[in-house]
């Protein structure tokens, strides 16, 4: 009897330990540090465009003017996250948009000059790639569900 109780207590202790370790690892994985994002990133327009829903792609492809505008906005797009919280988006045509950026866990917050906050969830982040998805109101379907970036 006593041996069975001791075995049960040991198993229970092991389970609690494993749950604790699993939770701790999950918290570490969920953390993104600002210096992980700092630098220049180039939009991977092919992977980004590939993620657009088929019905939207079909509409884009039927209108040459609209498709060329999309290409102008995405091909060659670079974004800069500097250590002091300044954000700069540079399009291939030279158009520049400045803003501020901050990080709250895995949530990237870009505040435009008018003070509007654009929130995006960092889905994946390595030394070479970053994948973000816009956080919109529930039920709102994003035009582009995920943006893929490559670190320069």
């Amino acid at each position: 009897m006593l041996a069975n109780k001791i075995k049960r207590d040991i198993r229970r202790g092991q389970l609690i330990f494993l749950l604790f370790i699993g939770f701790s690892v999950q918290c570490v994985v969920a953390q993104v540090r600002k210096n992980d994002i700092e630098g220049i990133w180039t939009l991977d327009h092919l992977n980004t465009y590939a993620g657009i829903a088929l019905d939207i792609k079909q509409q884009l492809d039927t209108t040459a003017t609209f498709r060329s505008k999309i290409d102008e906005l995405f091909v060659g797009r670079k974004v800069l996250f500097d250590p002091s919280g300044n954000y700069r988006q540079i399009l291939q045509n030279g158009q520049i948009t400045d803003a501020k950026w901050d990080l709250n866990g895995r949530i990237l917050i870009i505040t435009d000059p008018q003070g509007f906050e654009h929130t995006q969830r960092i889905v994946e982040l390595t030394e070479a790639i970053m994948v973000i998805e816009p956080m919109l109101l529930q039920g709102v379907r994003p035009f582009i569900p995920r943006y893929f970036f490559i670190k320069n």
Side-chain angles (χ1 to χ4, degrees):
M1 279 300 206
L2 184 58
N4 286 339
K5 183 180 181 332
I6 291 172
K7 285 180 186 177
R8 244 190 342 259
D9 288 347
I10 289 173
R11 277 192 227 124
R12 188 175 296 141
Q14 289 172 335
L15 179 61
I16 291 170
F17 177 73
L18 289 174
L19 288 172
F20 175 74
I21 292 297
F23 179 72
S24 297
V25 169
Q26 199 172 27
C27 287
V28 170
V29 170
Q31 290 299 322
V32 175
R33 297 171 304 172
K34 282 188 169 188
N35 62 347
D36 295 333
I37 295 176
E38 292 169 0
I40 300 173
W41 297 82
T42 301
L43 182 71
D44 179 347
H45 67 280
L46 295 176
N47 277 327
T48 299
Y49 186 76
I52 297 175
L54 185 58
D55 61 322
I56 294 174
K57 279 185 194 175
Q58 289 171 340
Q59 291 175 12
L60 291 176
D61 291 339
T62 59
T63 310
T65 308
F66 194 63
R67 175 56 198 244
S68 67
K69 186 65 175 170
I70 293 296
D71 286 346
E72 182 182 317
L73 292 172
F74 290 100
V75 176
R77 178 193 287 196
K78 294 186 183 308
V79 293
L80 163 69
F81 297 92
D82 85 4
S84 60
N86 294 310
Y87 168 89
R88 175 169 275 188
Q89 175 181 277
I90 306 164
L91 300 182
Q92 191 172 22
N93 67 7
Q95 181 181 346
I96 295 173
T97 304
D98 289 322
K100 295 287 186 185
W101 74 278
D102 201 359
L103 197 58
N104 184 3
R106 294 188 79 79
I107 306 301
L108 176 62
I109 304 158
I110 298 174
T111 307
D112 67 26
Q114 290 75 34
F116 185 76
E117 291 184 349
H118 305 269
T119 56
Q120 302 160 359
R121 180 177 295 105
I122 299 171
V123 177
E124 184 177 350
L125 180 64
T126 69
E127 291 180 3
I129 64 165
M130 176 170 56
V131 180
I132 58 176
E133 59 187 17
M135 296 176 63
L136 304 174
L137 297 173
Q138 190 166 354
V140 176
R141 181 176 165 199
F143 176 68
I144 298 173
R146 288 191 171 175
Y147 294 81
F148 294 79
F149 289 92
I150 301 168
K151 185 92 177 243
N152 291 12

